[in-house]
Amino acid sequence: MTRVLTGIPVSPGRVVGVVHTMPAPVPEPSAALRAAGADTETAVAQLATAVSAVQAELLARASTVTGTAAEVLTMTAAMAGDKTLIKDATRRVREEGATPARAVWDAAGVLAGQLEALGGMMAERARDARDVRDRLVASLQGRPSPGVPSPGHPFILAAGDLAPADTATLDPEQVVGIVTSGGGPTSHTAILARALGIPAVVAVSGAEGLADGETILLDGALGIVEISPSPEAIARTRETAGTVRTFDGHGRTADGHDVALLANVADPKAAAAAVEAGAEGVGLFRTEFCFLGRTEEPSVTEQVAAYRGVLDAFPGRKVVVRTLDAGADKPLPFVTADHEPNPALGIRGLRTAVGHPEVLERQLEAIAAAAAATEADVWVMAPMVATPDEAAHFVERCAAHGLNRAGVMIEIPAAALQSRFILAHATFASLGTNDLTQYTMAADRELAGLAELSTGWQPAVLALVEASCLGGAVNDRPVSVCGEAAGDPALAPVLVGLGVSSLSMTPRALADVAAVLAATSSEECARLARLALDQPSAAAARAAVRAELPILDELGL
């Protein structure tokens, strides 16, 4: 008999497959002290060797992937060498006589607890700390690194949640779907699943009861998991499975209204994937890839070379370069403080330039030099802008470097509400809907219990999108969306109806979004936008809009 579980849809697509669950976690090491006479320095050396081995493994994996996946693996490698973690573990070995495995276990537990106490985005890193703990303990005990099962055939992965380092290297040919009982719509699991094109549903009540070998039908657009689906449902799903859509490089509505469909990229490899997918340009070039994992900022020369790797891929096309977005879950020792009471509300994004203006100046110098050496149409924007004065200062600094297309990210409700004043200075705006949603709903995007709040479908978030677009219209400035909401095929027409002029997303989402927009007139987009705004909840908004878009079912989205 078919049973249905429901959760939060995060990556569209329907798939039928056999479940395999994540293997049991690394067991807790014994609390027994080292044997009498055991050499302390040998134990400390074993700890250092394990750290080096885990970092090398993670960085090797990072070199084989691109974009967000590479960024996540690099950040996890940095966590493995966290000074606080290693110092505490070493102290426990020297002063308490703990075994290296037990020292790491306890030190990581303390670090994870501290991160959770900070809340917000830093609480998200507590899972990273535990993932690093398990990897270090496995290395010290001679066990295989924890990770995703490999049964030798395609399967649907079921888990409580996935560590970022595991999600980052999933093989879409083997892992054809993801079901988790934790996470939210803008968690790392959700973001990477979308980037890989793997249908996924998170925050599924009852997912922990799924067993190896069960056949399920997963609908990543509706957030439904059917256990033991009927033969008819399986047949219908398999009829649409494997359909490959392509994008012709021209986003538009059914009545010919242009909507530029751009890609989010984080490095040259991701840029190549965007070109292959037909992206009209880049709506978000994350520059953190050349800063992460370093104790000192890269030189201007290094930055120029890194940026050109992306800019050269888009001659004659727009590339929106975001300046360094450090802070919160991306701490960097040369611009961010070691400890803040609430990093998500702390010194991050453009705010780091107050204490370290030279870092921004050198980055703008590098962006200008890279732009001058390529044929790309380079635009620059600052993250986490809150006030018109911040926008004016950033535009001024860009102009000093000859960068005249200077814009802002709108990620804070205040910026959306003040957009008419901010856009009197900035030449464009791009809505980062992940942070905008988190700050609007006061909901940590990693908490499964708050997953219903952490979605761009929230009418309050859509109202802020509309306010931003109205601010743009007053100043004749374009407003785009580069958050995860842009890649949702059902939400894209709503965003266009609210006044968004371009959408930037993971390259894998381009063809689906283009297909839905091409079947929807601009007038219909406006009607769907009003329909969504008039709903009392995110679930109601999603359901109301989907009911008016039969193209979604036709495309299996």
Side-chain angles (χ1 to χ4, degrees):
M1 181 177 177
T2 300
R3 290 190 297 121
V4 178
L5 306 178
T6 59
I8 305 299
V10 296
S11 184
R14 295 177 187 144
V15 63
V16 172
V18 173
V19 169
H20 282 276
T21 57
M22 286 291 285
V26 172
E28 180 176 350
S30 168
L33 300 181
R34 295 196 311 278
D39 183 64
T40 298
E41 295 310 311
T42 297
V44 171
Q46 289 172 342
L47 175 59
T49 299
V51 169
S52 297
V54 168
Q55 287 188 305
E57 179 192 4
L58 290 167
L59 291 174
R61 290 166 63 186
S63 69
T64 67
V65 294
T66 185
T68 304
E71 181 180 305
V72 164
L73 288 165
T74 302
M75 289 293 292
T76 305
M79 172 69 82
D82 181 85
K83 292 180 180 178
T84 302
L85 171 64
I86 304 309
K87 182 178 179 180
D88 189 16
T90 302
R91 180 192 63 78
R92 292 171 187 273
V93 170
R94 291 187 188 281
E95 298 178 10
E96 299 177 6
T99 63
R102 185 70 208 190
V104 164
W105 186 273
D106 290 340
V110 170
L111 178 60
Q114 291 171 341
L115 292 168
E116 287 175 333
L118 291 173
M121 288 186 174
M122 292 307 289
E124 172 185 327
R125 302 206 73 212
R127 184 180 56 187
D128 296 3
R130 294 190 177 96
D131 176 43
V132 162
R133 174 200 68 189
D134 291 350
R135 293 176 188 279
L136 289 172
V137 169
S139 179
L140 286 163
Q141 295 180 337
R143 299 173 180 269
S145 294
V148 177
S150 181
H153 58 80
F155 65 98
I156 294 176
L157 178 63
D161 204 354
L162 295 175
D166 287 328
T167 316
T169 50
L170 291 178
D171 180 359
E173 296 297 320
Q174 292 298 306
V175 181
V176 297
I178 300 171
V179 180
T180 68
S181 57
T186 54
S187 65
H188 280 305
T189 297
I191 292 170
L192 289 166
R194 282 191 287 270
L196 293 166
I198 301 175
V201 184
V202 301
V204 178
S205 178
E208 61 277 0
L210 292 172
D212 286 352
E214 283 189 303
T215 296
I216 65 172
L217 187 157
L218 182 156
D219 190 318
L222 297 180
I224 290 173
V225 176
E226 294 185 15
I227 303 172
S228 300
S230 68
E232 294 77 18
I234 292 174
R236 285 196 303 272
T237 299
R238 287 178 173 161
E239 280 177 11
T240 59
T243 301
V244 177
R245 276 179 286 278
T246 57
F247 174 43
D248 65 5
H250 181 193
R252 56 200 179 278
T253 60
D255 54 335
H257 174 70
D258 288 338
V259 181
L261 299 183
L262 313 169
N264 297 338
V265 306
D267 56 33
K269 289 182 181 178
V275 171
E276 185 176 352
E280 298 180 59
V282 173
L284 172 61
F285 172 19
R286 303 181 181 96
T287 57
E288 291 75 41
F289 78 103
C290 61
F291 290 83
L292 292 175
R294 302 178 62 128
T295 56
E296 298 179 352
E297 69 172 297
S299 68
V300 170
T301 301
E302 287 178 287
Q303 290 186 57
V304 171
Y307 303 153
R308 285 200 60 181
V310 171
L311 301 182
D312 286 344
F314 292 93
R317 286 184 278 177
K318 179 168 77 172
V319 177
V320 181
V321 183
R322 184 181 69 186
T323 56
L324 181 61
D325 189 16
D329 62 336
K330 294 191 285 284
L332 291 173
F334 44 88
V335 289
T336 58
D338 289 337
H339 299 287
E340 289 181 330
N342 191 339
L345 302 179
I347 298 174
R348 56 173 300 201
L350 184 61
R351 297 171 183 177
T352 62
V354 175
H356 300 276
E358 71 285 353
V359 176
L360 175 63
E361 292 298 322
R362 284 191 284 266
Q363 183 172 31
L364 293 177
E365 179 185 349
I367 293 169
T374 71
E375 297 179 15
D377 179 16
V378 177
W379 299 23
V380 186
M381 66 180 177
M384 292 299 291
V385 170
T387 68
D389 285 347
E390 289 177 351
H393 179 69
F394 179 71
V395 171
E396 175 189 298
R397 298 319 309 148
C398 287
H401 291 275
L403 297 166
N404 298 317
R405 277 289 199 173
V408 299
M409 292 280 288
I410 293 181
E411 304 165 275
I412 304 170
L417 296 172
Q418 292 284 89
S419 60
R420 64 189 175 116
F421 301 112
I422 286 175
L423 286 168
H425 304 287
T427 59
F428 69 96
S430 188
L431 287 145
T433 51
N434 298 353
D435 271 328
L436 183 61
T437 300
Q438 176 168 250
Y439 292 132
T440 301
M441 306 307 296
D444 186 337
R445 67 191 194 184
E446 289 292 328
L447 292 180
L450 300 178
E452 281 288 356
L453 298 176
S454 303
T455 169
W457 281 100
Q458 286 291 347
V461 175
L462 296 177
L464 290 174
V465 174
E466 182 180 44
S468 301
C469 292
L470 290 173
V474 167
N475 294 283
D476 194 25
R477 309 294 203 199
V479 175
S480 65
V481 171
C482 63
E484 291 300 310
D488 183 337
L491 188 51
V494 172
L495 298 174
V496 171
L498 292 172
V500 169
S501 60
S502 64
L503 299 168
S504 189
M505 65 204 73
T506 175
R508 286 181 177 270
L510 286 166
D512 289 340
V513 170
V516 174
L517 288 177
T520 312
S521 69
S522 52
E523 182 179 344
E524 182 69 0
C525 288
R527 187 182 73 81
L528 292 172
R530 300 318 311 171
L531 179 64
L533 285 170
D534 287 341
Q535 303 307 312
S537 69
R542 184 190 296 111
V545 169
R546 288 191 64 88
E548 298 294 315
L549 285 173
I551 185 66
L552 295 171
D553 284 332
E554 293 174 23
L555 297 175
L557 299 173

